[in-house]
């Protein structure tokens, strides 16, 4: 049983979404004591702008009220991750990559000094000890193929902030071979540790 699960849905579709369906099945298998939900189709995460960047690179004690307001959503999103033991990201592959909403979410949570820090030997993630499960679906892109810019990027981002225990449940290439896609998902679900 997972203690606290942070579920992040990214599909623009609520009905007929393979990733949301996979997410439901994974969530049931994990049987979390507490679930934090964030649906990026329902809440638009703004892109970074000059005000946000200036606020993020101003020391906490020197930030103005306006700068704190710029970072308020970022602070909430980071607090959700910090509280979670497991992250479940349900991600359709749109045009070989993640939905733009997920990229905006990543930009909000990758904060120097909070989720990672720089050292002489490079960046060190500060969110270690957590697990991530990626539920990935695509029409024609094979997970981890040369044209998949979603799955490797997500692994890189999660590793960057310290999350290295990452499992993938995939239902890829649905438009190419729906039965094989479904079979891959079933195998991945069976192999997923609760």
């Amino acid at each position: 049983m997972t203690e606290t699960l942070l579920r992040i849905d990214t599909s623009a579709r609520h009905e007929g979404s393979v990733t949301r369906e996979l997410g439901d099945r994974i969530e049931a298998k994990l049987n979390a004591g507490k679930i934090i939900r964030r649906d990026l189709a329902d809440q638009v995460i703004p892109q970074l702008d000059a005000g946000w960047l200036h606020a993020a690179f101003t020391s906490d004690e020197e930030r103005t009220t306006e700068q704190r307001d710029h970072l308020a959503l970022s602070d909430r999103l980071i607090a959700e991750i910090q509280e979670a033991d497991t992250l479940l990201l349900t991600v359709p592959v749109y045009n070989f990559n993640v939905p733009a909403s997920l990229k905006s979410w990543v930009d909000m949570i990758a904060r120097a000094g909070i989720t990672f820090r720089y050292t002489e030997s490079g960046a060190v993630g500060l969110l270690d000890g957590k697990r991530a499960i990626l539920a990935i679906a695509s029409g024609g892109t094979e997970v981890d193929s040369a044209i998949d810019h979603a799955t490797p990027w997500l692994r890189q981002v999660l590793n960057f902030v310290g999350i290295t225990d990452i499992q993938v449940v995939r239902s890829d290439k649905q438009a190419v071979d729906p039965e094989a896609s479904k079979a891959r998902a079933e195998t991945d679900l069976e192999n997923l540790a609760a």
Side-chain angles (χ1 to χ4, degrees), residues 37-171:
R37 299 182 189 280
R38 173 82 44 192
D39 192 328
L40 301 184
D42 293 339
Q43 180 191 12
V44 175
I45 306 291
Q47 293 183 5
L48 301 186
D49 60 17
W52 189 96
L53 289 169
H54 187 66
F57 289 99
T58 299
S59 67
D60 189 51
E61 54 277 353
E62 294 180 9
R63 281 188 193 125
T64 65
T65 300
E66 181 181 7
Q67 289 174 323
R68 291 181 194 287
D69 290 345
H70 275 295
L71 297 176
L73 176 58
S74 173
D75 291 341
R76 283 195 305 277
L77 297 175
I78 291 169
E80 290 174 352
I81 299 171
Q82 289 171 330
E83 183 179 353
D85 301 294
T86 300
L87 282 69
L88 168 58
L89 288 84
T90 68
V91 184
V93 176
Y94 291 162
N95 301 312
F96 314 107
N97 212 326
V98 299
S101 60
L102 183 54
K103 172 61 167 76
S104 293
W105 179 85
V106 166
D107 287 342
M108 287 281 168
I109 64 97
R111 296 241 320 259
I114 301 175
T115 58
F116 71 94
R117 65 182 170 87
Y118 289 112
T119 68
E120 289 181 7
S121 56
V124 175
L126 301 176
L127 298 174
D128 55 334
K130 298 180 184 301
R131 173 187 184 196
I133 302 168
L134 309 176
I136 308 281
S138 73
T141 301
E142 181 179 355
V143 164
D144 287 325
S145 69
I147 63 171
D148 175 16
H149 301 288
T151 315
W153 179 78
L154 283 166
R155 282 192 192 101
Q156 173 63 39
V157 165
L158 292 167
N159 282 317
F160 182 72
V161 296
I163 301 170
T164 58
D165 180 0
I166 302 167
Q167 294 173 279
V168 176
V169 175
R170 71 203 186 283
S171 184

